[in-house]
């Protein structure tokens, strides 16, 4: 039997607690779904659901098996995603440090425009982006799952080649900048990405905040939305890369980045790594981030 | 060596290194009693910076013990022939005369660069290399002295004095490099090889080697490996090595009534700044984690 397909039935019925609704979720009719569950129960030798006048209830055995079923389904999804990445050889698998926040779309547009006429003349889309913490991106690069990554500096880059340090100005977010408030006057903590994204860069930022007269207190926000929420709630301020509209604040520690690529021998020949790295460096250094 | 299952220890060493933002090579070894080691990437060659002074001291002591050199031989260190450095005779202004054994003491206790250079000249590079080879150690461990290291850093950073060179290496807005981070150009060895130097030093008896061990016990700082052993009754005999992002220490940790354990921690920080207390503390934590499974009462 197709075990994965039938485990999908199992999970759907467990979620919906109703054969009709589960069938609708799966885009099928109820009879083949019921038969599928029966087949799975026979195959496993375990009853997964109790069916009675009141409806469907998962059995104790079903509850025990459900987490393993979900793990298998998730792993299958991961495999399909990974295969999809590998099936697009000309596309650049580009890692982007989550710290770039609002500058990510502008960076991708600039890099895409820059690359299409050069390295990727025959490809449709130029770039498959992955936005994550820098430590994770470095691991992905080393494992050959990314081609190029722009990561926060400083960080450990053993086994990789990296370009120059790119220094992006930042500004305070969530305070009345017009009133001349600098970091030293800020009493709130600074909302920052999780330390584990790039521990040495995080520690360097905390030291720089203290050097500038701030307490160095930080709140680790798991993502941009959480950071924005903290700032909007008045619980923290942000130190974010500048946009065209708002110039950098010289009292704010800059965001430092480097573009990392594998050593020459470990690069995919389909990708012009140097051209991609140069495009990123141009996009990030040609004035304030968009 | 008795194989010990240290995979859990090695995993925690990796985690500490990642958290501190360093690449770490670790080798810990019991120096007496039943053999035992803990190792993390300890066969990777790295530039050892001032740790070259440790094998140099071992060679000197071996030659003194063999009667080839006199421990009280006078050594002149004229001011105009010394490369300025941060500690000891290297920071003095006038001519200095010492005995060879005091040169060794200053070289080890405060990592005096002028004394390191003077001792290398006194023993002679060829003789050092010959002796290291006879001990089964690589000549690269003492590829050069401190003055050559300093000159190379000044050249690589395009600076005229040591303070400017250090500022250049510590610039957070650049990824400053120097040939002296590279094991192919600097004095270099693996953590296991530096551990072997400790093992040899501890296997020797006699006044010359006692003198070397005593100098290591007088090391002026205890912020690296020592930070992992904040116990007044635990003796630490150590030698640090520092250059820019490189922070090393080779030390012997002696708990009362236990076999001494040698531990070598060689690190390269991602951050370029000169003062990184978190990294120094991580070196202590790495040492503590590596030494802990090797602790053994000395009546065993």
């Amino acid at each position: 039997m197709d075990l994965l397909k039938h485990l999908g039935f199992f999970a759907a019925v467990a979620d919906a607690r109703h054969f009709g609704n589960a069938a609708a979720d799966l885009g099928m009719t109820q009879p083949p779904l019921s038969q599928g569950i029966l087949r799975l129960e026979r195959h496993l030798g375990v009853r997964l659901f109790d069916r009675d006048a009141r409806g469907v209830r998962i059995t104790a055995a079903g509850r025990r098996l459900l987490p393993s079923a979900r793990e298998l389904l998730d792993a299958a999804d991961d495999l399909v995603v990974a295969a999809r990445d590998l099936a697009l050889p000309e596309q650049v698998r580009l890692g982007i440090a989550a710290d770039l926040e609002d500058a990510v779309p502008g960076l991708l547009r600039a890099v895409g425009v820059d690359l299409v006429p050069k390295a990727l003349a025959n490809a449709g889309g130029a770039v498959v982006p992955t936005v994550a913490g820098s430590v994770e991106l470095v691991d992905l690069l080393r494992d050959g799952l990314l081609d190029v990554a722009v990561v926060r500096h400083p960080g450990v880059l053993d086994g990789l080649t990296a370009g120059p340090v790119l220094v992006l100005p930042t500004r305070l977010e969530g305070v009345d900048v017009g009133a001349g408030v600098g970091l030293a006057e800020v009493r709130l903590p600074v909302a920052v990405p999780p330390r584990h994204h790039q521990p040495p860069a995080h520690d360097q930022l905390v030291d720089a905040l203290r050097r500038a007269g701030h307490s160095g207190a930080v709140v680790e926000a798991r993502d941009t939305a959480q950071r924005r929420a903290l700032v909007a709630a008045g619980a923290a301020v942000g130190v974010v890369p500048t946009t065209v509209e708002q110039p950098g604040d010289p009292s704010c520690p800059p965001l430092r980045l480097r573009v990392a690529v594998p050593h020459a021998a470990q690069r995919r020949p389909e990708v012009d790594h140097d051209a991609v790295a140069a495009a990123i460096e141009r996009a990030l250094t040609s004035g304030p981030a968009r | 060596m008795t194989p010990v299952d240290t995979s859990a220890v090695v995993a925690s060493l990796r985690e500490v290194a990642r958290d501190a933002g360093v690449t770490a090579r670790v080798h810990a070894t019991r120096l007496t009693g039943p053999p035992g080691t803990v190792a993390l990437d300890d066969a990777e060659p790295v530039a050892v910076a001032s740790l070259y002074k440790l094998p140099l001291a071992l060679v000197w002591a071996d030659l003194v013990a063999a009667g080839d050199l006199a421990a009280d031989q006078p050594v002149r260190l004229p001011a105009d022939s010394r490369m300025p450095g941060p500690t000891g005779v290297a920071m003095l202004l006038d001519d200095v005369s010492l005995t060879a054994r005091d040169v060794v003491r200053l070289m080890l206790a405060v990592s005096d660069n002028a004394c390191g250079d003077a001792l290398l000249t006194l023993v002679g590079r060829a003789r050092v290399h010959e002796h290291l080879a006879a001990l089964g150690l690589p000549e690269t461990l003492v590829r050069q002295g401190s003055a050559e290291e300093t000159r190379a850093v000044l050249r690589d950073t395009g600076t005229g004095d040591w303070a400017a060179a250090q500022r250049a290496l510590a610039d957070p807005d650049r990824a400053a490099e120097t040939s002296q981070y590279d094991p192919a150009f600097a004095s270099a060895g693996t953590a296991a090889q530096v551990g072997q130097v400790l093992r040899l030093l501890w296997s020797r008896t006699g006044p010359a080697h006692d003198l070397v061990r005593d100098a290591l016990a007088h090391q002026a700082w205890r912020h690296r490996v020592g930070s992992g052993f904040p116990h007044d009754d635990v003796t630490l005999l150590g030698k640090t090595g520092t250059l820019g992002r490189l922070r090393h220490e080779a030390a012997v940790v002696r708990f009362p009534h236990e076999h001494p354990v040698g531990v070598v921690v060689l690190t390269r920080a991602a951050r370029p700044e000169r003062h990184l207390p978190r990294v120094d503390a991580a070196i202590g934590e790495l040492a503590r984690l590596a030494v802990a499974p090797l602790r053994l009462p000395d009546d065993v």
Side-chain angles (χ1 to χ4, degrees):
Chain A
M1 72 184 299
D2 179 346
L3 183 62
L4 278 173
K5 183 173 104 182
H6 286 77
L7 291 176
F9 293 170
F10 173 33
V13 174
D15 288 341
R17 304 282 155 120
H18 188 282
F19 274 91
N21 294 348
D25 288 346
L26 292 166
M28 61 196 293
T29 58
Q30 189 174 337
L33 176 60
S34 299
Q35 287 157 21
I37 293 290
L38 286 173
R39 264 197 306 279
L40 180 63
E41 289 180 328
R42 265 201 308 278
H43 180 73
L44 297 175
V46 166
R47 206 151 48 83
L48 300 171
F49 296 103
D50 287 325
R51 306 150 181 87
D52 59 24
R54 282 176 298 159
V56 185
R57 273 175 299 120
I58 191 163
T59 62
R63 246 193 311 279
R64 285 280 299 279
L65 294 174
L66 188 58
S68 307
R70 290 202 202 280
E71 269 177 38
L72 282 166
L73 290 165
D74 288 347
D77 287 346
D78 290 348
L79 184 143
V80 170
V81 169
R84 195 180 301 147
D85 285 354
L86 292 168
L88 301 168
E90 282 89 13
Q91 291 194 304
V92 178
R93 299 166 305 166
L94 173 62
I96 303 173
D99 316 71
L100 273 165
E101 299 210 341
D102 295 341
V104 170
L107 172 66
L108 283 167
R109 275 193 296 276
V111 170
V113 168
D114 210 342
L115 286 182
V116 167
K118 296 177 184 168
L120 295 153
N122 306 323
V127 169
V128 182
T130 301
V131 177
S134 297
V135 166
E136 189 184 336
L137 294 176
V138 165
D139 284 345
L140 291 171
L141 262 184
R142 284 201 198 111
D143 292 345
L145 296 171
L146 288 176
D147 297 308
V148 180
V150 50
V151 298
R152 203 159 152 204
H153 171 82
V156 174
L157 295 174
D158 293 338
L160 300 171
T161 304
V165 180
L166 311 170
V167 183
L168 271 62
T170 59
R171 62 177 176 82
L172 277 172
E173 185 189 56
V175 296
D176 187 358
V177 179
V181 174
L183 257 182
E185 286 77 42
V186 171
R187 295 285 169 267
L188 291 171
V190 177
V192 296
R195 181 172 179 274
H196 68 79
H197 276 192
Q198 188 69 310
H202 175 100
D203 297 343
Q204 188 180 59
L205 174 70
V206 171
D207 286 347
L209 293 175
R210 290 178 177 154
R211 176 68 182 81
H214 184 264
S215 69
V218 295
V219 187
E220 296 180 30
R222 101 178 64 86
D223 54 27
T224 307
Q226 173 70 10
R227 183 189 58 71
R228 287 214 184 98
L230 286 165
V231 173
V237 298
V239 172
V240 295
T242 48
T243 59
V244 173
E245 298 80 50
Q246 283 173 298
D249 175 347
S251 86
C252 281
L255 177 63
R256 299 185 178 91
L257 303 162
R258 281 180 97 179
V259 179
V261 297
H263 288 318
Q266 281 133 23
R267 295 180 195 174
R268 280 202 303 148
E270 302 91 334
V271 172
D272 185 344
H273 294 72
D274 294 335
V276 178
I280 296 168
E281 284 162 8
R282 264 196 304 279
L284 287 174
T285 51
S286 58
R290 285 133 301 262
Chain B
M1 294 285 138
T2 314
V4 197
D5 182 18
T6 56
S7 52
V9 180
V10 171
S12 13
L13 294 176
R14 283 192 200 286
E15 190 41 50
V16 169
R18 171 170 276 211
D19 185 74
V22 300
T23 307
R25 326 287 189 197
V26 181
H27 178 92
T29 177
R30 213 181 282 120
L31 295 174
T32 58
T37 58
V38 169
L40 169 67
D41 297 338
D42 70 343
E44 298 277 333
V46 297
V48 295
S50 275
L51 276 186
Y52 83 87
K53 293 162 185 168
L54 194 61
L56 177 57
L58 170 65
V59 171
W60 174 82
D62 280 358
L63 293 172
V64 169
D68 294 343
L69 287 172
D72 58 357
Q73 179 176 340
V75 181
R76 287 193 61 244
L77 298 102
D80 59 5
S81 71
R82 300 193 303 251
M83 178 66 84
T87 59
V89 173
M91 65 157 291
L92 300 182
L93 301 176
D94 299 316
D95 295 349
V96 171
S97 284
L98 294 167
T99 58
R101 61 188 195 176
D102 277 345
V103 166
V104 171
R105 278 173 81 79
L106 278 178
M107 173 182 85
L108 295 175
V110 297
S111 202
D112 187 331
N113 285 348
C115 286
D117 290 331
L119 193 70
L120 181 55
T121 304
L122 176 77
V123 180
R125 195 176 317 224
R127 192 148 53 150
V128 171
H129 287 176
E130 190 184 314
H131 194 83
L132 287 173
L135 294 174
L137 291 166
E139 297 176 356
T140 55
L141 271 176
V142 189
R143 192 192 297 275
Q144 60 183 12
S146 301
E148 286 155 289
E149 178 190 81
T150 302
R151 272 195 290 276
V153 172
L154 294 177
R155 186 191 63 225
D156 296 341
T157 53
T159 49
D161 63 76
W162 188 238
Q166 286 198 306
R167 276 197 302 278
L169 290 181
D171 185 347
D173 290 339
R174 287 178 51 221
E177 286 294 334
T178 161
S179 58
Q180 298 307 295
Y181 289 161
D182 187 338
F185 296 99
S187 289
T190 68
Q193 288 160 351
V194 179
Q196 178 64 8
V197 173
L198 290 176
R199 218 174 280 117
L200 288 167
L201 188 57
W202 249 254
S203 70
R204 306 280 202 257
T205 52
H209 297 91
D210 281 344
L211 187 141
V212 169
R213 285 186 287 264
D214 184 62
L216 293 173
H218 280 86
Q219 179 168 235
W221 30 82
R222 197 163 162 155
H223 61 313
R224 287 196 185 149
V225 167
S227 69
F229 304 93
H231 320 296
D232 289 347
D233 61 338
V234 173
T235 315
L236 213 78
L237 305 94
K239 178 74 199 80
T240 58
T242 309
L243 177 73
R245 291 156 55 204
L246 307 181
R247 285 171 182 77
H248 309 319
E249 185 162 358
V252 176
V253 184
R254 277 203 338 225
F255 284 81
H257 315 298
E258 294 184 16
H259 289 289
V261 179
V263 60
V264 181
V265 183
L266 311 177
T267 71
R268 178 179 174 131
R271 289 180 68 177
E273 291 98 323
R274 283 182 61 200
H275 301 292
L276 294 178
R278 197 187 269 269
V279 171
D280 292 322
I283 291 174
E285 182 68 0
L286 290 167
R288 187 185 66 77
L289 288 169
V291 166
L294 300 173
R295 289 182 56 188
L296 197 67
D298 60 11
D299 52 10
V300 170

